[in-house]
Amino acid sequence: MSQNKPKKIIISFDIGTSKVAAVVAGYFGVKEGWKVLGQGMAASEGIKKGRMIQPALALNAVEQARRRAQEAAHVIAYEAVVALPVSVCKGSWREATREFYADRKVQTEDVSYLGKKVSSGFAQERQTVIKSIVHSYKIDDQDWSTEDPVGQMGHRISIMATVFSIDNVDAVQMQEFFKNLAFKKVSFGIAQEALIQKWHELKLALAPEYVQIDIGAGLVQLALVRQQKLIKLDLAPITSNHVLHD
């Protein structure tokens, strides 16, 4: 581990039906990046398919995992990232378009505007947006493309994205739950996306499009990946208890 002190420390939780896993990581600057400082696990109680059905028991399980990870890291983390399972995180396909008065080059601001546009409207649906992932662009009437559109000429740009969200009820419950653990900041992430990034870092010879399968004790999570981007999430009503052989 680096001899320097980390500039930032976070703890990430993967809360499953059978276990709670916690990882403490530190950011050591641009050159060294993020490093794992410690890990901890605890048996799950009061948790089923990502939801706290018995908060008191769930709190004890998460606290145990947190304590073990921090003891292994020899640091205390006040910022938490919670990896959400497919059972509570929904993915929606969204498209958005921006037209210009005349042909001009697409600017970064155009892409940012459309990114915000595809994420709008979820409040009316009683949803909290976790993340939006833009996976293709179209200039005028050209074919959809994954290439960066900035700098290309046209009078209209469209984007296609998958927006991941959770019910407001689940978001509030999660925020209140982690407040009891005295975290100063709590944010949400998508467990499958972290795995995609890891496969990319390992430089595995993966196909341009593939399905990632995570077999858990409560459900099987399926993730469609295209060009190293998470496109769609789904689940199957089978668990590791149904698997008898490799």
Side-chain angles (χ1 to χ4, degrees):
M1 189 172 69
S2 173
Q3 297 300 314
N4 300 322
K5 290 185 178 181
K7 303 177 184 297
K8 183 178 182 180
I9 297 172
I10 65 169
I11 183 168
S12 177
F13 293 98
D14 185 354
I15 303 174
T17 302
S18 64
K19 69 177 184 299
V20 176
V23 177
V24 176
Y27 182 68
F28 292 85
V30 177
K31 186 176 181 180
E32 295 186 67
W34 288 92
K35 295 179 183 293
V36 174
L37 306 178
Q39 304 176 57
M41 288 195 300
S44 283
E45 291 185 279
I47 303 167
K48 187 175 182 180
K49 298 180 181 179
R51 287 186 167 88
M52 316 298 177
I53 57 175
Q54 292 180 287
L57 293 177
L59 188 67
N60 181 59
V62 174
E63 179 57 44
Q64 283 188 38
R66 175 195 190 183
R67 185 181 68 253
R68 290 167 182 170
Q70 291 184 155
E71 287 176 351
H74 303 292
V75 295
I76 296 176
Y78 294 102
E79 182 176 339
V81 178
V82 184
L84 298 172
V86 180
S87 54
V88 297
C89 189
K90 304 173 183 178
S92 304
W93 288 78
R94 296 288 174 112
E95 291 185 33
T97 299
R98 188 175 203 181
E99 296 194 19
F100 314 134
Y101 291 110
D103 279 8
R104 66 167 174 82
K105 289 185 178 181
V106 176
Q107 302 173 3
T108 301
E109 187 274 335
D110 298 320
V111 178
S112 298
Y113 168 82
L114 291 174
K116 294 177 181 178
K117 190 173 180 179
V118 294
S119 299
S120 64
F122 281 82
Q124 290 82 353
E125 300 174 18
R126 298 181 180 179
Q127 295 279 305
T128 297
V129 173
I130 302 303
K131 187 172 187 178
S132 61
I133 300 176
V134 177
H135 46 79
S136 54
Y137 307 88
K138 183 166 70 172
I139 304 296
D140 297 338
D141 295 320
Q142 300 175 21
D143 293 333
W144 289 97
S145 171
T146 57
E147 293 184 7
D148 186 352
V150 175
Q152 297 186 44
M153 292 293 296
H155 68 273
R156 182 177 67 250
I157 177 177
S158 302
I159 68 170
M160 187 181 296
T162 307
V163 182
F164 297 96
S165 63
I166 61 175
D167 291 339
N168 286 345
V169 173
D170 288 326
V172 171
Q173 183 194 46
M174 286 280 191
Q175 290 284 359
E176 292 299 320
F177 179 85
F178 280 93
K179 278 183 181 179
N180 292 326
L181 293 169
F183 285 112
K184 295 180 179 179
K185 182 180 179 181
V186 179
S187 55
F188 301 115
I190 305 168
Q192 281 69 26
E193 190 177 21
L195 291 174
I196 293 168
Q197 293 173 357
K198 188 61 179 178
W199 302 150
H200 178 55
E201 291 173 4
L202 293 174
K203 302 185 184 303
L204 300 178
L206 299 172
E209 183 171 303
Y210 63 92
V211 175
Q212 182 175 277
I213 303 174
D214 182 3
I215 302 176
L219 50 82
V220 171
Q221 302 181 85
L222 307 172
L224 174 62
V225 183
R226 182 182 298 149
Q227 300 294 337
Q228 300 170 5
K229 290 184 178 181
L230 180 60
I231 302 300
K232 185 175 176 58
L233 291 172
D234 208 340
L235 57 86
I238 58 175
T239 71
S240 59
N241 295 328
H242 295 100
V243 181
L244 301 180
H245 302 285
D246 292 341

